[in-house]
Amino acid sequence: MLASKAKLEDIGVSQTEKLAIEIAKLLKEVASFSNIVLSAGKLFIVKCTERQGRSRTFVISVTTELQNALEAHPQILLSPMAAIAFLEKQGQLLVPVRVEAASLEHAD
């Protein structure tokens, strides 16, 4: 049983690493955009640039409840600020991420 559990944990780590690499690639591709709202599979990415030029990027893992809410309110995909307000209203913890090379880190 312990061997099976260890194997499942290894698969989970492997999948998490692959997901992190793909997220990093996707974020690098949208780096040239000032503002973007993107729903890609189980990920929801919001990037907004404030008037002062400060850019913030959020990556949210989409739950079934969030997916249902997004489907009920497709207009939030039109505006990063609307998306952020919507996510906050949904109780999502928004932690900005910073893209560096091929890794993701929490922004300070």
Side-chain angles (χ1 to χ4, degrees):
M1 185 168 92
L2 291 176
S4 295
K5 182 180 176 192
K7 186 174 181 178
L8 286 173
E9 288 173 354
D10 285 344
I11 291 170
V13 168
S14 174
Q15 293 299 320
T16 300
E17 288 173 358
K18 288 179 185 177
L19 181 60
I21 290 168
E22 293 306 316
I23 291 170
K25 288 179 186 177
L26 185 57
L27 290 175
K28 284 179 74 173
E29 289 181 21
V30 301
S32 63
F33 294 90
S34 298
N35 298 290
I36 192 165
V37 179
L38 178 64
S39 180
K42 289 288 187 180
L43 296 176
F44 190 67
I45 299 170
V46 180
K47 180 180 179 185
C48 63
T49 303
E50 298 168 345
R51 289 184 183 176
Q52 301 84 359
R54 179 176 169 227
S55 179
R56 297 183 303 157
T57 303
F58 304 96
V59 179
I60 310 299
S61 180
V62 179
T63 62
T64 302
E65 295 81 16
L66 182 56
Q67 181 64 39
N68 291 338
L70 290 170
E71 289 174 4
H73 304 282
Q75 68 277 10
I76 69 151
L77 297 173
L78 302 175
S79 163
M81 295 310 287
I84 289 170
F86 178 81
L87 290 168
E88 288 174 341
K89 189 174 183 180
Q90 295 294 314
Q92 290 289 319
L93 175 62
L94 298 179
V95 179
V97 293
R98 176 177 57 231
V99 179
E100 291 185 11
S103 66
L104 295 177
E105 298 179 7
H106 288 286
D108 297 328

